[in-house]
Amino acid sequence: MVGASAGVVGGASTELRPGHDDDLVGVAVGELWTHQPTAEQPDYMAVCTWATAPPYRDGVLGDECWKNSRELELRDDNPLDTTRKVNRGSYPFVMLARDDKFMYLAASIPRVASVRADGPTYDGRRHDSDLTGFDRVSFYLDVDRDYTTSYAIHIDQRGHASESVWEDKTWNPKMHIAVNGDAKHWRLEAAIPLNELVEKPP
Protein backbone atom coordinates (compact mmCIF):
# COMPACT_ATOMS: atom_id res chain seq x y z
CA MET A 1 0.00 0.00 0.00
CA VAL A 2 1.20 3.50 -0.78
CA GLY A 3 0.13 6.78 0.73
CA ALA A 4 1.24 10.23 -0.29
CA SER A 5 0.79 13.74 1.01
CA ALA A 6 1.98 17.19 0.07
CA GLY A 7 2.47 19.83 2.70
CA VAL A 8 3.40 23.45 2.84
CA VAL A 9 5.64 24.35 5.69
CA GLY A 10 6.47 27.86 6.71
CA GLY A 11 3.95 30.64 6.32
CA ALA A 12 0.92 28.61 5.26
CA SER A 13 0.33 25.11 6.46
CA THR A 14 -1.88 22.53 4.83
CA GLU A 15 -1.90 18.81 4.20
CA LEU A 16 -3.18 17.20 1.05
CA ARG A 17 -3.61 13.46 0.66
CA PRO A 18 -5.53 10.82 -1.20
CA GLY A 19 -8.18 9.37 1.03
CA HIS A 20 -11.73 8.65 1.94
CA ASP A 21 -14.02 10.81 4.07
CA ASP A 22 -14.05 7.95 6.56
CA ASP A 23 -10.55 6.45 6.72
CA LEU A 24 -11.71 3.09 8.11
CA VAL A 25 -14.31 2.73 5.38
CA GLY A 26 -11.64 3.66 2.86
CA VAL A 27 -9.33 0.94 4.17
CA ALA A 28 -12.07 -1.66 3.94
CA VAL A 29 -13.16 -0.62 0.45
CA GLY A 30 -9.54 -0.53 -0.69
CA GLU A 31 -8.81 -4.01 0.64
CA LEU A 32 -11.91 -5.44 -1.04
CA TRP A 33 -10.98 -3.79 -4.34
CA THR A 34 -7.39 -5.07 -4.08
CA HIS A 35 -8.60 -8.67 -3.72
CA GLN A 36 -11.41 -8.37 -6.29
CA PRO A 37 -10.67 -5.50 -8.70
CA THR A 38 -13.63 -4.08 -10.59
CA ALA A 39 -14.04 -1.39 -13.20
CA GLU A 40 -15.13 1.00 -10.44
CA GLN A 41 -11.73 1.63 -8.92
CA PRO A 42 -11.76 3.79 -5.77
CA ASP A 43 -10.67 7.29 -6.73
CA TYR A 44 -8.10 7.37 -3.92
CA MET A 45 -6.29 4.24 -5.16
CA ALA A 46 -3.94 3.73 -8.07
CA VAL A 47 -2.24 0.67 -9.50
CA CYS A 48 1.53 0.87 -9.69
CA THR A 49 1.83 0.41 -13.46
CA TRP A 50 4.55 -1.54 -15.22
CA ALA A 51 7.20 0.64 -16.85
CA THR A 52 8.26 -0.91 -20.15
CA ALA A 53 11.12 1.59 -20.13
CA PRO A 54 12.45 3.53 -17.14
CA PRO A 55 11.59 7.23 -17.09
CA TYR A 56 14.32 9.68 -17.92
CA ARG A 57 14.53 11.36 -14.56
CA ASP A 58 14.33 15.07 -15.32
CA GLY A 59 11.16 16.12 -13.50
CA VAL A 60 9.25 16.72 -16.75
CA LEU A 61 6.82 13.73 -16.47
CA GLY A 62 6.60 13.21 -20.23
CA ASP A 63 7.79 9.58 -20.29
CA GLU A 64 5.72 6.70 -21.60
CA CYS A 65 5.35 5.13 -18.16
CA TRP A 66 3.66 8.29 -16.85
CA LYS A 67 1.27 8.41 -19.81
CA ASN A 68 -0.03 5.01 -18.68
CA SER A 69 -0.16 5.89 -14.97
CA ARG A 70 -3.17 7.17 -13.12
CA GLU A 71 -2.89 10.61 -11.55
CA LEU A 72 -3.71 10.13 -7.88
CA GLU A 73 -5.11 13.49 -6.83
CA LEU A 74 -4.07 14.86 -3.44
CA ARG A 75 -7.02 16.50 -1.74
CA ASP A 76 -7.11 19.16 0.91
CA ASP A 77 -8.31 18.02 4.32
CA ASN A 78 -9.62 21.56 4.76
CA PRO A 79 -12.06 22.38 1.91
CA LEU A 80 -12.00 26.06 2.91
CA ASP A 81 -8.25 26.32 2.24
CA THR A 82 -7.87 27.25 -1.43
CA THR A 83 -4.10 27.90 -1.47
CA ARG A 84 -3.50 24.91 -3.77
CA LYS A 85 -6.30 25.68 -6.20
CA VAL A 86 -4.23 27.69 -8.65
CA ASN A 87 -6.79 27.43 -11.44
CA ARG A 88 -9.46 25.07 -12.61
CA GLY A 89 -8.01 21.72 -13.62
CA SER A 90 -4.79 22.38 -11.73
CA TYR A 91 -4.37 20.09 -8.75
CA PRO A 92 -1.57 18.30 -6.94
CA PHE A 93 -1.12 14.65 -7.85
CA VAL A 94 1.27 11.72 -7.60
CA MET A 95 1.90 8.78 -9.95
CA LEU A 96 3.51 5.38 -9.44
CA ALA A 97 5.26 2.95 -11.76
CA ARG A 98 7.77 0.12 -11.45
CA ASP A 99 9.87 -2.39 -13.33
CA ASP A 100 11.81 -5.38 -12.05
CA LYS A 101 14.46 -3.21 -10.35
CA PHE A 102 12.95 0.12 -9.34
CA MET A 103 9.83 1.77 -8.01
CA TYR A 104 9.29 5.14 -9.67
CA LEU A 105 7.55 8.03 -7.93
CA ALA A 106 6.33 11.22 -9.59
CA ALA A 107 4.46 14.28 -8.39
CA SER A 108 3.24 17.62 -9.68
CA ILE A 109 2.48 20.25 -7.04
CA PRO A 110 1.03 23.75 -7.60
CA ARG A 111 3.12 26.47 -6.04
CA VAL A 112 1.77 28.49 -3.14
CA ALA A 113 2.49 32.22 -3.11
CA SER A 114 3.33 32.30 0.60
CA VAL A 115 6.07 29.67 0.31
CA ARG A 116 9.56 30.34 -1.02
CA ALA A 117 10.05 29.28 -4.65
CA ASP A 118 13.56 27.74 -4.50
CA GLY A 119 14.36 25.55 -7.49
CA PRO A 120 16.36 22.31 -7.58
CA THR A 121 19.79 22.19 -5.95
CA TYR A 122 22.24 19.32 -6.13
CA ASP A 123 25.07 20.53 -3.94
CA GLY A 124 24.68 19.53 -0.33
CA ARG A 125 22.16 16.76 -0.91
CA ARG A 126 22.40 14.13 1.79
CA HIS A 127 20.22 11.69 3.69
CA ASP A 128 17.87 13.10 6.33
CA SER A 129 18.06 16.68 5.10
CA ASP A 130 16.33 19.45 7.01
CA LEU A 131 13.30 20.29 4.87
CA THR A 132 11.97 23.01 7.17
CA GLY A 133 10.60 25.99 5.26
CA PHE A 134 10.24 24.18 1.93
CA ASP A 135 7.24 22.69 0.18
CA ARG A 136 7.45 18.90 0.09
CA VAL A 137 5.75 15.64 -0.81
CA SER A 138 5.76 12.66 1.55
CA PHE A 139 5.40 9.08 0.33
CA TYR A 140 4.53 6.34 2.83
CA LEU A 141 5.21 2.81 1.58
CA ASP A 142 3.43 0.20 3.70
CA VAL A 143 4.92 -2.93 2.14
CA ASP A 144 3.59 -5.34 4.77
CA ARG A 145 0.17 -3.66 4.80
CA ASP A 146 -0.19 -3.47 8.54
CA TYR A 147 -1.55 0.11 8.24
CA THR A 148 0.80 1.16 11.03
CA THR A 149 4.45 1.00 10.00
CA SER A 150 5.85 2.24 6.71
CA TYR A 151 8.86 3.52 4.86
CA ALA A 152 8.62 7.31 4.74
CA ILE A 153 10.27 9.34 1.98
CA HIS A 154 9.95 13.14 2.11
CA ILE A 155 11.17 15.10 -0.94
CA ASP A 156 11.10 18.88 -1.13
CA GLN A 157 10.96 21.37 -4.00
CA ARG A 158 14.79 21.42 -4.16
CA GLY A 159 15.08 17.64 -4.52
CA HIS A 160 16.41 17.19 -0.98
CA ALA A 161 15.11 14.19 0.94
CA SER A 162 14.57 12.82 4.41
CA GLU A 163 13.86 9.11 4.93
CA SER A 164 12.91 6.76 7.73
CA VAL A 165 11.35 3.40 8.54
CA TRP A 166 8.64 3.90 11.14
CA GLU A 167 10.64 6.11 13.55
CA ASP A 168 14.08 4.81 12.57
CA LYS A 169 15.96 7.48 10.62
CA THR A 170 18.98 5.23 10.04
CA TRP A 171 17.29 3.85 6.92
CA ASN A 172 19.16 5.63 4.13
CA PRO A 173 18.12 4.15 0.78
CA LYS A 174 19.91 4.74 -2.48
CA MET A 175 17.60 6.97 -4.50
CA HIS A 176 17.72 8.99 -7.69
CA ILE A 177 15.76 12.26 -7.46
CA ALA A 178 15.13 14.91 -10.10
CA VAL A 179 13.09 18.09 -9.60
CA ASN A 180 11.88 20.55 -12.20
CA GLY A 181 9.34 23.33 -12.27
CA ASP A 182 8.03 26.65 -13.46
CA ALA A 183 6.25 29.61 -11.90
CA LYS A 184 3.04 27.63 -11.32
CA HIS A 185 4.16 24.10 -10.42
CA TRP A 186 7.11 22.07 -9.20
CA ARG A 187 7.50 18.45 -10.23
CA LEU A 188 9.60 15.52 -9.13
CA GLU A 189 10.64 12.10 -10.33
CA ALA A 190 12.35 9.60 -8.06
CA ALA A 191 13.57 6.04 -8.42
CA ILE A 192 14.12 3.75 -5.46
CA PRO A 193 15.57 0.24 -5.86
CA LEU A 194 13.01 -2.40 -4.95
CA ASN A 195 15.63 -4.23 -2.90
CA GLU A 196 15.60 -1.24 -0.53
CA LEU A 197 11.96 -2.06 0.21
CA VAL A 198 11.43 -5.81 -0.18
CA GLU A 199 13.53 -8.97 -0.44
CA LYS A 200 12.00 -9.90 -3.80
CA PRO A 201 10.03 -7.78 -6.27
CA PRO A 202 6.26 -8.46 -6.14
Side-chain angles (χ1 to χ4, degrees):
M1 302 293 285
V2 177
S5 66
V8 185
V9 288
S13 180
T14 187
E15 183 175 344
L16 309 163
R17 61 189 173 91
H20 192 281
D21 290 339
D22 184 327
D23 285 341
L24 291 178
V25 172
V27 166
V29 170
E31 284 293 330
L32 287 172
W33 185 86
T34 300
H35 291 289
Q36 296 180 337
T38 63
E40 294 184 18
Q41 181 176 345
D43 62 359
Y44 53 87
M45 295 186 72
V47 173
C48 187
T49 56
W50 183 261
T52 54
Y56 181 74
R57 290 177 295 279
D58 55 8
V60 174
L61 312 187
D63 305 278
E64 196 64 32
C65 70
W66 302 131
K67 294 176 184 176
N68 298 324
S69 295
R70 180 178 182 178
E71 294 180 359
L72 189 58
E73 182 179 351
L74 302 179
R75 298 177 183 164
D76 195 339
D77 281 346
N78 177 5
L80 300 178
D81 186 346
T82 59
T83 54
R84 292 283 179 181
K85 296 170 184 149
V86 178
N87 54 52
R88 188 173 180 178
S90 178
Y91 55 87
F93 65 85
V94 297
M95 294 185 291
L96 312 168
R98 77 169 185 96
D99 54 27
D100 59 347
K101 294 181 180 177
F102 290 91
M103 181 174 190
Y104 303 107
L105 311 172
S108 176
I109 309 296
R111 293 194 186 275
V112 177
S114 60
V115 177
R116 52 195 297 175
D118 298 53
T121 59
Y122 296 92
D123 292 339
R125 281 190 182 181
R126 63 186 187 281
H127 293 290
D128 305 319
S129 292
D130 181 2
L131 310 183
T132 303
F134 297 98
D135 204 7
R136 63 179 177 261
V137 176
S138 299
F139 294 91
Y140 299 92
L141 309 176
D142 181 7
V143 297
D144 61 4
R145 289 171 55 198
D146 65 358
Y147 292 94
T148 302
T149 59
S150 62
Y151 293 98
I153 302 170
H154 314 280
I155 304 172
D156 74 9
Q157 66 199 62
R158 303 167 300 163
H160 291 242
S162 180
E163 322 89 341
S164 63
V165 178
W166 192 219
E167 296 179 358
D168 179 5
K169 295 187 73 68
T170 62
W171 179 63
N172 292 321
K174 297 177 181 176
M175 288 193 299
H176 309 277
I177 299 171
V179 172
N180 203 327
D182 52 39
K184 292 186 176 181
H185 295 79
W186 65 274
R187 297 174 295 276
L188 74 86
E189 287 178 297
I192 178 169
L194 289 175
N195 62 17
E196 296 278 9
L197 304 170
V198 290
E199 290 184 11
K200 294 194 305 184

